[in-house]
Amino acid sequence: MSDANIPPIPYLGQKSDEITIYAGPCSVESAEQFDEVAECVKGLGLHWIRGGAFKPRTNPHSFQGLGEEALKIMKDAGERYDLLTLTEVMDSAHCELVHSYVDGLQVGARNFQNFSLLKKIGQVTADSHKMVLYKRGFAGTIAEWLAACDYISDCGNDNIVLCERGIRTFETATRFTLDIAAVPVIHKQSLYPVCIDVSHPAGQRDLVPALAKAAVAAGADSLMIEVHPNPPQALSDGPQQLTPAQFETLVGELRQIADVLGKKIV
Ligand code: PEP
Ligand code: MN
């Protein structure tokens, strides 16, 4: 076949020239902790800050999050620093509460197939169209992920971002195996933007920069990166969180790559 006869590469994705970073601590621990990250995020010209209020911990004796107090801290910092806020909602009973405080609602990997939660989030956000960042489950296929999006969109909100955060494989060198191919596969099959959470698959902060650069190069529409003012003291996911200084260096490197691609990091 001559080049002229090769069909164009299908690409349904929204070819935005902006790559959004959702940065922030794994857990919101205090107003001071969250402010420190907000100041860094704002100083870098980014628009969103993330933080966990209700934490899906494997062990019930681990820190479970500050709940509504964390939502208040996020809302207050979001207003003072003029940042959009993103947090996970774990329970259908919390959807209205979480929706009333933040700009984006996250479905975590552990709730990938919690269909009643997906429907409830779709209903609660139907009027506001607030972003729903829907993470892939550890053992979820891309087909299952795309199918389940309809639980949200059928209830009235198609402002969905699909977030790849690593899957379980035989490999134990990283916390999860980052499926970078999810980016082009989803762009071929769906209109939803794709986020790559680079912190949870890495599990260790020194791996985060390489995964983040790969995500930008692969065409991810957004990145999630955990940042904590003092990672060794973090109440969850300390080993994978970047310090503000490390995050600033990484954003500078990502901007260089984005530049080559004609994109902006925001
Ligand atoms: C998180 O983003 O804080 C989180 C718990 O992520 P995941 O659901 O991907 O494990
Ligand atoms: Mn985390």
Side-chain angles (χ1 to χ4, degrees):
M1 218 198 277
S2 78
D3 274 6
N5 294 327
I6 297 173
I9 298 171
Y11 185 107
L12 291 172
Q14 311 170 343
K15 282 189 181 158
S16 167
D17 64 355
E18 290 190 342
I19 301 169
T20 303
I21 299 192
Y22 306 105
C26 179
S27 296
V28 177
E29 297 168 5
S30 68
E32 295 71 31
Q33 173 240 22
F34 200 68
D35 269 19
E36 216 172 304
V37 182
E39 196 165 324
C40 162
V41 166
K42 187 69 188 176
L44 291 171
L46 305 175
H47 298 161
W48 282 84
I49 186 162
R50 63 145 279 153
F54 297 94
K55 295 304 300 176
R57 305 308 298 281
T58 301
N59 186 328
H61 308 297
S62 303
F63 177 63
Q64 300 288 305
L66 297 179
E68 188 170 3
E69 189 188 337
L71 299 175
K72 288 181 180 161
I73 291 170
M74 293 187 82
K75 185 173 165 62
D76 179 57
E79 286 169 1
R80 281 185 291 109
Y81 289 92
D82 190 24
L83 290 169
L84 297 162
T85 53
L86 170 66
T87 200
E88 176 169 354
V89 54
M90 280 172 50
D91 189 322
S92 295
H94 294 152
C95 288
E96 281 95 353
L97 177 80
V98 171
H99 180 263
S100 71
Y101 281 102
V102 295
D103 302 294
L105 288 80
Q106 174 172 321
V107 179
R110 291 156 189 83
N111 278 311
F112 177 65
Q113 289 187 318
N114 182 343
F115 302 125
S116 53
L117 177 66
L118 296 178
K119 281 192 270 188
K120 184 70 198 238
I121 289 178
Q123 288 158 3
V124 167
T125 57
D127 290 332
S128 67
H129 274 73
K130 286 185 178 178
M131 179 188 75
V132 179
L133 185 130
Y134 175 29
K135 287 201 176 191
R136 182 179 186 178
F138 314 153
T141 66
I142 292 174
E144 287 165 341
W145 196 9
L146 292 175
C149 281
D150 288 0
Y151 279 106
I152 305 169
S153 59
D154 284 358
C155 290
N157 185 10
D158 62 2
N159 185 11
I160 298 169
V161 173
L162 295 169
C163 181
E164 159 66 32
R165 45 78 71 216
I167 52 176
R168 275 268 153 76
T169 67
F170 53 81
E171 183 55 72
T172 55
T174 50
R175 191 174 174 193
F176 295 95
T177 299
L178 179 61
D179 180 10
I180 200 86
V183 178
V185 170
I186 292 170
H187 280 162
K188 269 175 73 171
Q189 297 184 15
S190 148
L191 283 167
Y192 294 123
V194 189
C195 177
I196 297 278
D197 169 352
V198 293
S199 298
H200 291 90
Q204 310 151 56
R205 77 179 56 78
D206 58 339
L207 301 182
V208 166
L211 299 189
K213 291 174 205 171
V216 170
D221 302 285
S222 48
L223 267 62
M224 176 172 284
I225 305 176
E226 287 188 337
V227 181
H228 191 288
N230 187 358
Q233 298 293 317
L235 299 179
S236 59
D237 285 350
Q240 71 197 25
Q241 301 201 63
L242 301 184
T243 63
Q246 290 166 337
F247 179 61
E248 185 174 344
T249 302
L250 176 57
V251 170
E253 292 170 356
L254 296 178
R255 285 196 157 125
Q256 290 180 32
I257 299 173
D259 212 34
V260 172
L261 301 170
K263 294 183 176 181
K264 283 195 300 283
I265 303 271
V266 298

